[in-house]
Amino acid sequence: YVFDDAPSLDASYTKPLPAFNIVWQPQSNSNILVRGAFTRAMTRPTVSQVNPSRQISAVDNTESRGNPDLDPFLAWQYDLGLEYYFGKTHEGLFAVAVFYKDVDNFIVSDVQAETLAFPDQGLPAEEYTVDTFRNGGKAKIKGFEVNFQTPFTFLPGFLDGFGVAANYTYTDSEFTDAFGHSFTFPGASKNTYNLILYYEKKGFSTRLAYNYRSSWLDTPSATPDGLNAIYGE
């Protein structure tokens, strides 16, 4: 059964989101830049997560519904980076950066047992397995990244249109769900890197890229025992 007469609900919230960014150049003609940032970020629930409609299966006694009372999850973010530009026209770049994020109210899946009855549909009171969402997860994410890119302007003729770009990110994260179980942060791989060989000259542009990421938590466990989390590779 799909109930189309879901109630109309209103919710509101006010969240201050300060953001401070600074760029420092040691000298006016320096090829070094230092960047720092301190921000408060917010991510709202998706429409499906807050949708109050309910889907009932009387065959296997399950209900799926959203949670309109979900709060957005918030994060304090800290970033510090050093950039070094090189080459005749500063066309090359080598950069390193460190980051730290503290996340609250992360939205997690929630499976619980409820006794439900639907007399209008002729369904008596029975115990249902309810699949929904709730706030409660916390996470800490920290790591560093390295970037390098340069065109091969030192090559002769048409070859000077070639160039390379590469980056690597290391992420150490810990996500604590609403039941106190610890995982890595959903969607975050510990190791990620990208290698790009490109050619750009006289309006022509092409690139060959290789992207890699190590395994990551795709779907956190939705049960109190912390089992059956789904990982991607």
mmCIF file of all heavy atoms in Angstrom, residues 7 11 30 44 56 58 77 81 95 101 116 118 124-125 131 136 143-144 147 171 173 180 185 197 208 211 228:
data_model
loop_
_atom_site.group_PDB
_atom_site.id
_atom_site.type_symbol
_atom_site.label_atom_id
_atom_site.label_comp_id
_atom_site.label_asym_id
_atom_site.label_seq_id
_atom_site.Cartn_x
_atom_site.Cartn_y
_atom_site.Cartn_z
ATOM 1 N N PRO A 7 0.241 13.777 5.738
ATOM 2 C CA PRO A 7 -0.033 15.109 6.284
ATOM 3 C C PRO A 7 0.909 16.158 5.716
ATOM 4 O O PRO A 7 2.000 15.847 5.242
ATOM 5 C CB PRO A 7 0.204 14.914 7.786
ATOM 6 C CG PRO A 7 1.161 13.773 7.865
ATOM 7 C CD PRO A 7 0.793 12.857 6.743
ATOM 8 N N ALA A 11 8.360 22.964 9.034
ATOM 9 C CA ALA A 11 9.499 22.996 9.949
ATOM 10 C C ALA A 11 10.385 24.164 9.548
ATOM 11 O O ALA A 11 10.425 24.553 8.377
ATOM 12 C CB ALA A 11 10.284 21.687 9.893
ATOM 13 N N SER A 30 56.207 37.483 -4.566
ATOM 14 C CA SER A 30 56.512 36.115 -4.168
ATOM 15 C C SER A 30 55.683 35.116 -4.975
ATOM 16 O O SER A 30 54.543 35.392 -5.369
ATOM 17 C CB SER A 30 56.230 35.924 -2.674
ATOM 18 O OG SER A 30 56.376 34.577 -2.306
ATOM 19 N N ARG A 44 21.563 19.966 4.165
ATOM 20 C CA ARG A 44 20.169 19.668 4.488
ATOM 21 C C ARG A 44 19.835 18.227 4.136
ATOM 22 O O ARG A 44 20.457 17.623 3.261
ATOM 23 C CB ARG A 44 19.243 20.614 3.732
ATOM 24 C CG ARG A 44 19.375 22.075 4.137
ATOM 25 C CD ARG A 44 18.365 22.932 3.383
ATOM 26 N NE ARG A 44 18.407 24.322 3.838
ATOM 27 C CZ ARG A 44 19.203 25.243 3.321
ATOM 28 N NH1 ARG A 44 20.025 24.909 2.342
ATOM 29 N NH2 ARG A 44 19.179 26.483 3.783
ATOM 30 N N ILE A 56 3.704 0.737 2.775
ATOM 31 C CA ILE A 56 3.454 -0.421 3.633
ATOM 32 C C ILE A 56 3.427 -1.693 2.795
ATOM 33 O O ILE A 56 2.811 -1.733 1.729
ATOM 34 C CB ILE A 56 2.097 -0.284 4.358
ATOM 35 C CG1 ILE A 56 2.009 1.054 5.096
ATOM 36 C CG2 ILE A 56 1.880 -1.453 5.317
ATOM 37 C CD1 ILE A 56 3.005 1.220 6.199
ATOM 38 N N ALA A 58 2.112 -5.414 3.370
ATOM 39 C CA ALA A 58 1.405 -6.327 4.266
ATOM 40 C C ALA A 58 1.883 -7.757 4.079
ATOM 41 O O ALA A 58 1.525 -8.643 4.856
ATOM 42 C CB ALA A 58 -0.097 -6.246 4.003
ATOM 43 N N GLN A 77 34.792 23.356 9.856
ATOM 44 C CA GLN A 77 35.837 22.961 8.912
ATOM 45 C C GLN A 77 37.047 23.879 9.042
ATOM 46 O O GLN A 77 36.901 25.109 9.079
ATOM 47 C CB GLN A 77 35.300 23.020 7.469
ATOM 48 C CG GLN A 77 34.058 22.167 7.267
ATOM 49 C CD GLN A 77 33.571 22.165 5.829
ATOM 50 O OE1 GLN A 77 33.383 21.123 5.219
ATOM 51 N NE2 GLN A 77 33.347 23.352 5.268
ATOM 52 N N GLY A 81 46.682 25.664 3.754
ATOM 53 C CA GLY A 81 47.403 25.196 2.577
ATOM 54 C C GLY A 81 48.562 26.103 2.205
ATOM 55 O O GLY A 81 48.573 27.305 2.504
ATOM 56 N N ALA A 95 51.377 22.176 -4.412
ATOM 57 C CA ALA A 95 50.600 22.639 -3.263
ATOM 58 C C ALA A 95 50.382 21.503 -2.282
ATOM 59 O O ALA A 95 50.199 20.345 -2.682
ATOM 60 C CB ALA A 95 49.257 23.207 -3.716
ATOM 61 N N LYS A 101 37.631 18.306 9.872
ATOM 62 C CA LYS A 101 36.204 18.578 9.878
ATOM 63 C C LYS A 101 35.574 17.853 11.076
ATOM 64 O O LYS A 101 35.863 16.687 11.316
ATOM 65 C CB LYS A 101 35.539 18.111 8.576
ATOM 66 C CG LYS A 101 36.182 18.681 7.316
ATOM 67 C CD LYS A 101 35.551 18.106 6.068
ATOM 68 C CE LYS A 101 36.326 18.507 4.830
ATOM 69 N NZ LYS A 101 36.296 19.949 4.587
ATOM 70 N N LEU A 116 1.733 -1.556 14.411
ATOM 71 C CA LEU A 116 0.940 -0.663 13.573
ATOM 72 C C LEU A 116 -0.348 -1.352 13.151
ATOM 73 O O LEU A 116 -0.395 -2.584 13.004
ATOM 74 C CB LEU A 116 1.733 -0.261 12.316
ATOM 75 C CG LEU A 116 3.102 0.397 12.552
ATOM 76 C CD1 LEU A 116 3.830 0.571 11.230
ATOM 77 C CD2 LEU A 116 2.949 1.741 13.260
ATOM 78 N N PHE A 118 -3.810 -0.625 10.356
ATOM 79 C CA PHE A 118 -4.354 0.182 9.268
ATOM 80 C C PHE A 118 -5.777 -0.303 8.982
ATOM 81 O O PHE A 118 -6.024 -1.017 8.004
ATOM 82 C CB PHE A 118 -3.463 0.073 8.027
ATOM 83 C CG PHE A 118 -2.024 0.400 8.307
ATOM 84 C CD1 PHE A 118 -1.104 -0.614 8.558
ATOM 85 C CD2 PHE A 118 -1.585 1.712 8.355
ATOM 86 C CE1 PHE A 118 0.229 -0.321 8.815
ATOM 87 C CE2 PHE A 118 -0.248 2.016 8.622
ATOM 88 C CZ PHE A 118 0.655 1.000 8.857
ATOM 89 N N PRO A 124 -5.052 -5.518 10.472
ATOM 90 C CA PRO A 124 -5.105 -5.475 11.941
ATOM 91 C C PRO A 124 -3.760 -5.059 12.527
ATOM 92 O O PRO A 124 -2.745 -4.970 11.819
ATOM 93 C CB PRO A 124 -5.447 -6.916 12.311
ATOM 94 C CG PRO A 124 -4.863 -7.726 11.194
ATOM 95 C CD PRO A 124 -5.031 -6.898 9.951
ATOM 96 N N ALA A 125 -3.738 -4.826 13.818
ATOM 97 C CA ALA A 125 -2.505 -4.437 14.508
ATOM 98 C C ALA A 125 -1.511 -5.587 14.488
ATOM 99 O O ALA A 125 -1.822 -6.701 14.903
ATOM 100 C CB ALA A 125 -2.815 -4.034 15.946
ATOM 101 N N ASP A 131 11.579 1.136 8.399
ATOM 102 C CA ASP A 131 12.843 1.651 7.865
ATOM 103 C C ASP A 131 12.694 3.153 7.663
ATOM 104 O O ASP A 131 11.888 3.604 6.841
ATOM 105 C CB ASP A 131 13.158 0.947 6.544
ATOM 106 C CG ASP A 131 14.545 1.301 6.015
ATOM 107 O OD1 ASP A 131 15.247 2.092 6.673
ATOM 108 O OD2 ASP A 131 14.922 0.788 4.945
ATOM 109 N N GLY A 136 21.812 11.821 14.685
ATOM 110 C CA GLY A 136 22.495 11.208 15.816
ATOM 111 C C GLY A 136 23.937 10.858 15.551
ATOM 112 O O GLY A 136 24.715 10.661 16.476
ATOM 113 N N GLY A 143 43.026 14.981 7.424
ATOM 114 C CA GLY A 143 43.915 14.433 6.411
ATOM 115 C C GLY A 143 44.723 15.520 5.738
ATOM 116 O O GLY A 143 44.777 16.672 6.193
ATOM 117 N N PHE A 144 45.342 15.143 4.629
ATOM 118 C CA PHE A 144 46.141 16.098 3.862
ATOM 119 C C PHE A 144 46.033 15.758 2.379
ATOM 120 O O PHE A 144 45.633 14.651 1.999
ATOM 121 C CB PHE A 144 47.607 16.079 4.309
ATOM 122 C CG PHE A 144 48.335 14.797 3.976
ATOM 123 C CD1 PHE A 144 48.990 14.642 2.766
ATOM 124 C CD2 PHE A 144 48.357 13.743 4.884
ATOM 125 C CE1 PHE A 144 49.660 13.461 2.467
ATOM 126 C CE2 PHE A 144 49.012 12.561 4.591
ATOM 127 C CZ PHE A 144 49.672 12.425 3.372
ATOM 128 N N ASN A 147 49.112 18.400 -4.409
ATOM 129 C CA ASN A 147 48.783 18.648 -5.811
ATOM 130 C C ASN A 147 50.025 19.091 -6.569
ATOM 131 O O ASN A 147 50.852 19.864 -6.048
ATOM 132 C CB ASN A 147 47.721 19.752 -5.931
ATOM 133 C CG ASN A 147 46.353 19.304 -5.479
ATOM 134 O OD1 ASN A 147 45.603 18.712 -6.237
ATOM 135 N ND2 ASN A 147 46.037 19.593 -4.222
ATOM 136 N N THR A 171 42.851 10.528 3.877
ATOM 137 C CA THR A 171 41.763 10.887 4.776
ATOM 138 C C THR A 171 41.653 9.880 5.908
ATOM 139 O O THR A 171 41.520 8.679 5.664
ATOM 140 C CB THR A 171 40.418 10.943 4.021
ATOM 141 O OG1 THR A 171 40.518 11.857 2.936
ATOM 142 C CG2 THR A 171 39.298 11.380 4.949
ATOM 143 N N SER A 173 39.229 9.139 8.998
ATOM 144 C CA SER A 173 37.923 9.559 9.480
ATOM 145 C C SER A 173 37.357 8.540 10.457
ATOM 146 O O SER A 173 37.668 7.346 10.400
ATOM 147 C CB SER A 173 36.952 9.736 8.305
ATOM 148 O OG SER A 173 36.717 8.504 7.644
ATOM 149 N N GLY A 180 26.352 4.185 18.799
ATOM 150 C CA GLY A 180 27.680 4.180 19.383
ATOM 151 C C GLY A 180 28.704 3.345 18.652
ATOM 152 O O GLY A 180 29.834 3.195 19.133
ATOM 153 N N PHE A 185 33.966 7.459 7.824
ATOM 154 C CA PHE A 185 32.897 8.353 7.392
ATOM 155 C C PHE A 185 32.315 7.860 6.067
ATOM 156 O O PHE A 185 33.070 7.493 5.151
ATOM 157 C CB PHE A 185 33.433 9.770 7.220
ATOM 158 C CG PHE A 185 32.367 10.791 6.984
ATOM 159 C CD1 PHE A 185 31.575 11.229 8.029
ATOM 160 C CD2 PHE A 185 32.151 11.311 5.717
ATOM 161 C CE1 PHE A 185 30.589 12.183 7.825
ATOM 162 C CE2 PHE A 185 31.164 12.251 5.497
ATOM 163 C CZ PHE A 185 30.384 12.693 6.554
ATOM 164 N N LEU A 197 47.276 13.195 -17.871
ATOM 165 C CA LEU A 197 48.161 13.659 -18.934
ATOM 166 C C LEU A 197 47.290 14.424 -19.920
ATOM 167 O O LEU A 197 46.288 13.896 -20.410
ATOM 168 C CB LEU A 197 48.844 12.482 -19.627
ATOM 169 C CG LEU A 197 49.729 12.840 -20.823
ATOM 170 C CD1 LEU A 197 50.945 13.642 -20.367
ATOM 171 C CD2 LEU A 197 50.164 11.578 -21.572
ATOM 172 N N LEU A 208 43.952 12.391 -20.778
ATOM 173 C CA LEU A 208 43.842 10.990 -20.380
ATOM 174 C C LEU A 208 44.009 10.946 -18.866
ATOM 175 O O LEU A 208 45.010 11.429 -18.336
ATOM 176 C CB LEU A 208 44.915 10.147 -21.066
ATOM 177 C CG LEU A 208 44.958 8.662 -20.701
ATOM 178 C CD1 LEU A 208 43.710 7.954 -21.218
ATOM 179 C CD2 LEU A 208 46.211 8.008 -21.277
ATOM 180 N N ASN A 211 41.920 7.484 -12.264
ATOM 181 C CA ASN A 211 41.427 7.852 -10.929
ATOM 182 C C ASN A 211 41.347 6.600 -10.065
ATOM 183 O O ASN A 211 40.891 5.551 -10.527
ATOM 184 C CB ASN A 211 40.031 8.478 -11.028
ATOM 185 C CG ASN A 211 39.986 9.608 -12.031
ATOM 186 O OD1 ASN A 211 40.660 10.602 -11.858
ATOM 187 N ND2 ASN A 211 39.200 9.444 -13.077
ATOM 188 N N ASN A 228 25.911 -5.552 9.086
ATOM 189 C CA ASN A 228 25.360 -5.390 7.735
ATOM 190 C C ASN A 228 25.603 -4.015 7.134
ATOM 191 O O ASN A 228 24.815 -3.556 6.302
ATOM 192 C CB ASN A 228 23.857 -5.714 7.726
ATOM 193 C CG ASN A 228 23.561 -7.135 8.142
ATOM 194 O OD1 ASN A 228 24.282 -8.044 7.763
ATOM 195 N ND2 ASN A 228 22.519 -7.313 8.924
#
